[in-house]
Amino acid sequence: MTGAWCRPGFWEGRPLADLDAHEWEALCDGCGRCCLHKLQDEDTDEIYYTDVACRLLDPLTCRCSHYEDRLSQVPDCVRLSPDEVSQVAWLPPTCAYRRLHEGRGLPSWHPLLTHDPESVHRAGVSVRGRILCEQKMGDDWESRIVLWPCRDGPD
């Protein structure tokens, strides 16, 4: 994302809470990993990613097809905020919000660094070409568990 409000390196050395709404949204790399369904082990609380995506996720763009009104269409969708980043255990390790919160900076393939929204897809980080829509999902969720969303970098 680019624009007059989006100066290069706007995220560097700033707490997430200090970003304005446009800067916050620009941090999203468009990978779609946060829109995957996750399973949580009741005994260990361990989180497992599946390759099953929210019905609103566009499989080509890896963006929400109804972003502005997603919360009314998917009541358990999370509106991520700076305060929640530290408390949401399921953010993938590649997530810019998580990485910045942890002091790791943006990865080299991030669209804010490459100035190319396709770089996240070329790097193999996005869910493009790897997902099943929840509307086509059967009952065997455990068979849909995948490891690639847990990797911190190009697959």
Side-chain angles (χ1 to χ4, degrees), residues 1-77:
M1 296 201 151
T2 58
W5 55 267
C6 190
R7 64 175 175 76
F10 68 84
W11 61 91
E12 294 173 346
R14 293 175 65 196
L16 293 173
D18 287 354
L19 302 179
D20 67 30
H22 293 291
E23 291 169 332
W24 177 261
E25 292 297 325
L27 284 177
C28 178
D29 59 32
C31 74
R33 289 181 180 202
C34 61
C35 298
L36 296 175
H37 285 275
K38 296 120 191 119
L39 304 175
Q40 187 168 14
D41 187 295
E42 292 176 4
D43 298 323
T44 66
D45 286 336
E46 189 168 352
I47 296 171
Y48 298 93
Y49 288 84
T50 71
D51 62 356
V52 181
C54 171
R55 63 184 172 81
L56 298 182
L57 187 68
D58 181 310
L60 297 176
T61 65
C62 299
R63 298 274 182 177
C64 183
S65 60
H66 295 282
Y67 187 73
E68 294 304 318
D69 65 336
R70 70 192 185 283
L71 299 173
S72 66
Q73 294 191 40
V74 180
D76 60 346
C77 182

Side-chain angles (χ1 to χ4, degrees), residues 78-153:
V78 174
R79 182 184 303 254
L80 193 61
S81 70
D83 291 336
E84 291 172 325
V85 170
S86 64
Q87 298 181 26
V88 179
W90 50 259
L91 283 175
T94 54
C95 177
Y97 303 111
R98 178 177 174 176
R99 290 179 61 96
L100 292 176
H101 172 73
E102 294 173 350
R104 295 189 289 141
L106 297 182
S108 61
W109 46 261
H110 195 285
L112 284 173
L113 298 176
T114 64
H115 308 289
D116 179 3
E118 289 295 309
S119 62
V120 65
H121 308 298
R122 278 195 307 276
V125 176
S126 79
V127 301
R128 184 185 282 172
R130 306 188 210 200
I131 57 173
L132 175 71
C133 179
E134 68 185 4
Q135 293 172 316
K136 296 179 182 177
M137 179 59 202
D139 293 330
D140 188 11
W141 285 87
E142 289 182 9
S143 71
R144 305 305 308 190
I145 292 173
V146 291
L147 298 177
W148 52 265
C150 301
R151 295 188 187 130
D152 189 19

